[in-house]
Amino acid sequence: MSVDRILLVSLDNLGDMVFASALAPPLHERFPRAKLDVWCKEYTADVAKLVPHVSEVIASDPFWDRAPGRGKGSWRPFLRALRLVRSRRYDVAVLAAAPWRTASAVAATGIPVRIGLRRRKNRIFLTEARVPVLSELSRLLVPLGAPHESLRYRLDASLLTAHRERLARIIEQPYAALHPFASKENRCVPMPVWREVARRLGERGLTVLWVGSREELGALRATGNEHSWRFMDRDSDGTLADTAAALSAATIFVGHDSGPLHVAGAFGVPVVGIFAPGEPLRTFPQGVGPSRMLARPSPSGVTADDILREVDAL
């Protein structure tokens, strides 16, 4: 197959974008001269730019979906992005997730080879479809003859040097990045447990950096905080790139199953993922760094000792 231009499509949220990054190195290995671009949501673009071998990022929020902290995308910007994709005349599109609307949008760009995960509604828009099991994500590469064994997602921290240098002057090393939040509150270990984890990590000589949105971290501060704790919304320049830089320099990351967990793991940072319950069999940490996972049917009963036991195991 002659391939000059490849489009990796991930019009989903941050964690999905990180998982999609695992496809870039084998695609580059199989087609070293091909230009590899990414089509993603606007808020994930800063992370998409860190994916190895990516030349350009096309960012647009799909009109049928919401990004965290944003409303649904609008028609006009999305259609502009679709026309841009169409004008690039990509040879191959690899769709890292299964929504049929994404598949139909990619089909509308006229890309001749469209490889994605099989769903009842989306298969008519794909030229190659694969069963949607995480362990079989690599099968998206099979039709292209690209290497697909033992995929791991990874991001390139060298592109964040300026952000890392600025943060190094603010956040004392070594530090632990804690992300006690999730998309649904009923999946979150109670905050008193996280505060105890933070206190005990501080006793071990680690600075604690809390990661989350301004609203989440504001609510945490309202319950009281240690004077040595750092908060990403106060130390950051407000960009996702700055948050990514902070995660890349952490000594360890501990947090719920969400985007920041996978971003940290993609930089090779040791991570402890809390799944309560989440989907541990599908979205367990699969980055290039070491990891541990604490999976429970609910967050009730998870203690600071439980979490720190996994930290020690790293």
Side-chain angles (χ1 to χ4, degrees):
M1 179 185 295
S2 176
V3 175
D4 296 318
R5 304 178 72 90
I6 303 172
L7 183 65
L8 180 58
V9 182
S10 181
L11 292 173
D12 301 280
N13 289 338
L14 180 59
D16 301 288
M17 181 64 251
V18 177
F19 274 105
S21 73
L23 299 171
L27 285 170
H28 175 73
E29 183 177 341
R30 175 64 178 87
F31 303 104
R33 292 185 176 84
K35 185 175 186 289
L36 175 62
D37 294 345
V38 170
W39 189 8
C40 65
K41 284 184 175 178
E42 288 185 5
Y43 94 102
T44 68
D46 281 347
V47 165
K49 294 172 185 176
L50 307 177
V51 177
H53 314 299
V54 167
S55 298
E56 188 172 346
V57 173
I58 300 170
S60 62
D61 289 337
F63 58 85
W64 61 83
D65 195 15
R66 297 177 183 273
R70 300 170 179 242
K72 284 187 177 181
S74 59
W75 277 88
R76 288 184 179 178
F78 188 79
L79 289 177
R80 283 197 297 269
L82 191 149
R83 286 194 293 269
L84 177 60
V85 171
R86 188 178 184 87
S87 72
R88 297 286 173 82
R89 298 184 178 275
Y90 292 99
D91 301 299
V92 174
V94 179
L95 286 68
W100 70 268
R101 291 180 178 88
T102 298
S104 66
V106 174
T109 67
I111 298 173
V113 178
R114 303 178 301 278
I115 304 169
L117 300 169
R118 177 174 294 150
R119 288 285 194 270
R120 181 174 60 84
K121 290 184 177 181
N122 76 350
R123 57 189 176 186
I124 64 173
F125 302 110
L126 303 172
T127 60
E128 295 278 352
R130 295 301 180 207
V131 178
V133 177
L134 183 62
S135 62
E136 294 183 344
L137 179 63
S138 62
R139 294 181 63 190
L140 295 174
L141 302 169
V142 172
L144 300 171
H148 56 276
E149 295 81 9
S150 303
L151 289 185
R152 291 289 183 270
Y153 49 69
R154 68 189 69 222
L155 297 171
D156 185 357
S158 70
L159 302 175
L160 296 170
T161 300
H163 293 275
R164 286 165 58 97
E165 289 176 350
R166 186 189 69 80
L167 290 166
R169 296 190 291 268
I170 301 173
I171 307 171
E172 184 179 355
Q173 284 275 12
Y175 63 86
L178 302 187
H179 182 249
F181 311 106
S183 57
K184 296 181 179 179
E185 191 172 345
N186 62 2
R187 290 173 46 202
C188 295
V189 172
M191 196 56 68
V193 174
W194 283 103
R195 295 173 65 86
E196 176 66 9
V197 169
R199 185 187 66 79
R200 289 166 63 178
L201 289 175
E203 290 175 350
R204 299 182 180 192
L206 290 170
T207 301
V208 170
L209 173 66
W210 294 97
V211 178
S213 69
R214 185 176 300 277
E215 293 75 18
E216 290 167 338
L217 295 177
L220 171 61
R221 285 191 292 268
T223 63
N225 60 273
E226 302 285 338
H227 73 278
S228 61
W229 288 354
R230 310 297 308 190
F231 296 90
M232 198 63 228
D233 63 329
R234 290 181 171 176
D235 292 336
S236 171
D237 64 5
T239 65
L240 183 58
D242 219 43
T243 299
L247 294 173
S248 74
T251 299
I252 190 170
F253 173 94
V254 187
H256 287 290
D257 175 27
S258 60
L261 168 70
H262 301 298
V263 171
F267 287 122
V269 174
V271 300
V272 174
I274 313 298
F275 293 72
E279 298 181 83
L281 297 179
R282 188 175 73 86
T283 59
F284 61 93
Q286 293 160 68
V288 292
S291 65
R292 297 285 297 182
M293 184 172 64
L294 177 61
R296 297 287 175 83
S298 80
S300 62
V302 176
T303 67
D305 285 337
D306 294 330
I307 295 173
L308 291 167
R309 193 175 298 115
E310 300 303 326
V311 171
D312 293 335
L314 286 175

